[in-house]
């Protein structure tokens, strides 16, 4: 399994994109920064998109990718998410009020975007991967995904989350954990209210992981609050040292082979 981090940041600025992961060139998880990261031939290979929640920084490139797929190569994209997320995305991004309605374009029989609702705690074969859907704590209804390949390599991506993500640990055994740190420890109270993690929160959640599972997976941090990146990097390095764990910040176009 090859994972490419398309977007690793909380804000879009030159050199930094919003949250998106690409798996084996065809499966995208979260749609914050797809089209500015990939050439047209690369975008053409994408068939499936999983969304963790409806927030704009995780969904907006549904529109730009659907436009390229619908206008240029008439390929269908299948988007999986919980029903609540799909409903908001349909109204906010895919309705004809905003732009082309890609749920009906180029035709109602063969639209560019097909929506598939998936339920928390369900397990489903999606695009050749075993996908386990787990609810996570955030400021909006959100899920994380454990994605397991045919040869049994697996990652768990929490999406946006905060204290209490450890409730997922009993259900998963990934080799790689991709999660978030949105700000530095000094903003811990605000981050918890906003549904995010800081390094100290991450440490507590990882301590629970190790107590429950007897190991720690490699951890990659994304959804990094841009102005605080150096502070976050230092605080995460401190956690890695204290836990003797492999934890590092992700970055745009980073590739990880599992
Ligand atoms: Zn969010
Ligand atoms: Zn976010």
């Amino acid at each position: 399994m090859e994972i490419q981090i398309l977007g690793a940041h909380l804000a879009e600025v030159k050199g930094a994109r919003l949250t998106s992961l690409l798996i084996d060139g065809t499966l995208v998880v979260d749609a914050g920064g797809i089209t500015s990261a990939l050439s047209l031939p690369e975008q053409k290979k994408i068939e499936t998109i999983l969304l963790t929640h409806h927030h704009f920084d995780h969904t907006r490139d549904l529109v730009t990718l659907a436009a390229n797929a619908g206008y240029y190569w008439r390929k269908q994209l299948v988007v999986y998410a919980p029903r609540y997320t799909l409903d908001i995305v349909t109204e906010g991004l895919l309705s004809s009020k905003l732009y082309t309605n890609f749920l009906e374009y180029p035709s109602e029989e063969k639209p560019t975007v097909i929506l598939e609702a998936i339920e928390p705690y369900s397990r489903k074969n999606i695009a050749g991967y075993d996908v386990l859907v787990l609810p996570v704590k955030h400021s909006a209804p959100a899920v994380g995904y454990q994605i397991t390949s045919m040869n049994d390599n697996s990652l768990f991506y929490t999406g946006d989350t905060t204290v209490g993500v450890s409730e997922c640990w009993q259900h998963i055994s990934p080799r790689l954990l991709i999660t978030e740190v949105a700000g530095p420890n000094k903003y811990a109270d605000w981050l918890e209210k906003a549904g995010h993690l800081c390094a100290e929160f991450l440490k507590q959640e990882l301590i629970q992981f190790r107590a429950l599972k007897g190991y720690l997976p490699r951890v990659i941090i994304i959804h990094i609050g841009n102005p605080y990146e150096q502070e976050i990097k230092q605080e995460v390095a401190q956690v890695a040292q204290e836990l003797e764990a492999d934890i590092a910040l992700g970055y745009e176009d980073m590739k990880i082979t599992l």
Side-chain angles (χ1 to χ4, degrees):
M1 189 157 39
E2 185 165 277
I3 300 124
Q4 189 177 344
I5 295 179
L6 304 182
H9 287 84
L10 187 44
E12 183 180 82
V13 296
K14 188 173 181 179
R17 290 186 290 263
L18 302 178
T19 303
S20 270
L21 308 172
L22 178 65
I23 297 172
D24 296 329
T26 60
L27 171 67
V28 165
V29 193
D30 275 346
I34 305 169
T35 44
S36 62
L38 300 171
S39 66
L40 284 178
E42 287 168 332
Q43 290 177 36
K44 206 171 169 178
K45 291 185 190 148
I46 297 170
E47 293 172 346
T48 314
I49 300 170
L50 305 178
L51 299 176
T52 57
H53 64 303
H54 68 265
H55 283 160
F56 184 73
D57 58 318
H58 298 253
T59 55
R60 59 166 228 187
D61 274 14
L62 279 185
V63 180
T64 51
L65 182 65
N68 293 346
Y71 299 149
Y72 296 134
W73 49 78
R74 291 281 159 99
K75 190 170 165 176
Q76 290 187 295
L77 300 165
V78 188
V79 178
Y80 291 87
R83 170 59 59 197
Y84 177 91
T85 303
L86 293 179
D87 286 348
I88 294 179
V89 162
T90 298
E91 195 184 331
L93 290 178
L94 298 172
S95 86
S96 54
K97 274 188 210 163
L98 185 77
Y99 195 35
T100 304
N101 178 350
F102 292 105
L103 299 171
E104 294 176 4
Y105 176 89
S107 68
E108 282 184 42
E109 296 71 41
K110 202 175 178 244
T112 308
V113 175
I114 298 165
L115 302 179
E116 292 281 352
I118 40 174
E119 294 306 314
Y121 298 110
S122 67
R123 185 168 214 142
K124 194 176 167 69
N125 187 300
I126 295 175
Y129 300 88
D130 177 60
V131 177
L132 174 65
V133 187
L134 292 174
V136 296
K137 294 202 185 332
H138 184 42
S139 58
V143 296
Y145 294 106
Q146 179 170 263
I147 300 170
T148 308
S149 67
M150 292 292 199
N151 53 2
D152 234 19
N153 279 323
S154 71
L155 70 92
F156 183 67
Y157 168 52
T158 64
D160 286 3
T161 195
T162 185
V163 176
V165 68
S166 48
E167 285 174 25
C168 295
W169 301 160
Q170 60 184 308
H171 303 282
I172 60 169
S173 298
R175 279 182 63 188
L176 174 68
L177 173 68
I178 302 179
T179 188
E180 67 134 288
V181 171
N185 289 334
K186 66 186 178 198
Y187 297 135
D189 289 349
W190 181 85
L191 288 163
E192 187 172 6
K193 280 194 196 92
H196 293 292
L197 290 171
C198 58
E200 180 57 33
F201 291 156
L202 175 69
K203 182 178 147 188
Q204 299 309 324
E205 303 296 310
L206 290 178
I207 287 171
Q208 294 186 58
F209 190 108
R210 185 177 266 160
L212 192 68
K213 311 297 284 194
Y215 80 103
L216 275 182
R218 179 182 178 188
V219 181
I220 301 280
I221 307 297
I222 60 171
H223 206 273
I224 303 157
N226 311 46
Y228 312 109
E229 183 150 2
Q230 280 315 312
E231 221 173 329
I232 292 170
K233 195 174 181 181
Q234 283 169 10
E235 291 175 353
V236 165
Q238 181 72 32
V239 173
Q241 199 179 27
E242 286 171 23
L243 299 184
E244 295 181 348
D246 181 357
I247 314 173
L249 300 200
Y251 51 86
E252 277 69 18
D253 304 322
M254 180 186 196
K255 285 185 180 164
I256 306 139
T257 304
L258 270 194

